[in-house]
Amino acid sequence: MIRVVVVDDDPLVTESLKTILEVSAEIQVVGTGNSASEAVTLYLQERPDVLLTDIRMGKNTGIEAAKEIFRQVPKAVILLLTTFSDDEYIREALQIGVKGYLIKQDLASIVPSIKAVYNGQSVFGTEIVGKLASILTDQTPRKQSKIHLSEREESILLAVANGKNNKEIAHELFLSEGTVRNNISQLLEKLEVRDRTQLAIFYYQKYQ
């Protein structure tokens, strides 16, 4: 069961999201809130598998809530949901390490996205993916462009950028999951980035 906390400044939207998520037998909404401060409090209280939070919520934002949660729980899994596809929001979201950024209108993608981030993938709505290459400027150190990657490392990097998990990568490249896991750890160290999202950023900068 995937335990989720849902936060949106509109109580009606919050309840609607709760209803959409709980249609899936694999998801349990363990808390709902309507502000950035509630997002932080509920996360620390419930320790859900995934936090689904709006961005614009009055005085404070979901990104500010995410920053505070990451400060206390670096491995938190946070998925942002908004009506805005503002480039600066997307850039900041990637910088702090959120696992996904979805547009609210794309309701059909919410449940699959929750499952994907729970399984270690990064997800971005279709509208967001189309903008990634243009907004991911200067997100990684320039010296990374001089780093040589092997053919296998490039293949794994591409698969990560496409949102595939270790099992899917192993199947696609005829490797064991352990080998994939080790190669991803080596890539993180070689490129000096913190997670799979940052690996995807590197791929879009170098190869797109």
Side-chain angles (χ1 to χ4, degrees), residues 19-89:
T19 299
I20 290 170
L21 291 175
E22 291 192 330
V23 167
S24 170
E26 300 171 56
I27 296 175
Q28 176 188 10
V29 176
V30 296
T32 59
N34 305 114
S35 68
S37 61
E38 282 188 286
V40 176
T41 299
L42 282 167
Y43 186 91
L44 297 177
Q45 175 181 307
E46 299 293 341
R47 295 299 176 107
D49 298 306
V50 180
L51 168 64
L52 176 65
T53 180
D54 190 19
I55 288 183
R56 291 195 179 182
M57 295 188 290
K59 183 170 63 175
N60 295 315
T61 68
I63 288 179
E64 290 169 323
K67 287 179 180 178
E68 176 58 23
I69 291 168
F70 283 133
R71 187 182 70 80
Q72 299 193 52
V73 187
K75 293 186 178 181
V77 176
I78 300 175
L79 182 60
L80 296 177
L81 186 65
T82 184
T83 56
F84 304 95
S85 58
D86 183 272
D87 289 0
E88 194 56 43
Y89 278 141

Side-chain angles (χ1 to χ4, degrees), residues 190-205:
K190 179 182 286 190
L191 300 178
E192 298 181 2
V193 297
R194 65 175 176 263
D195 57 27
R196 298 171 82 102
T197 300
Q198 293 295 317
L199 285 177
I201 290 173
F202 175 82
Y203 171 81
Y204 279 108
Q205 286 189 304

Side-chain angles (χ1 to χ4, degrees), residues 78-81 93 97-102 117 121-125 197:
I78 300 175
L79 182 60
L80 296 177
L81 186 65
V98 300
K99 293 301 182 183
Y101 190 113
L102 303 175
V117 296
Q121 300 177 56
S122 296
V123 295
F124 300 94
T197 300

Side-chain angles (χ1 to χ4, degrees), residues 100-116:
Y101 190 113
L102 303 175
I103 301 302
K104 281 183 182 178
Q105 291 87 336
D106 190 10
L107 295 177
S109 71
I110 295 175
V111 169
S113 296
I114 290 285
K115 294 177 181 179

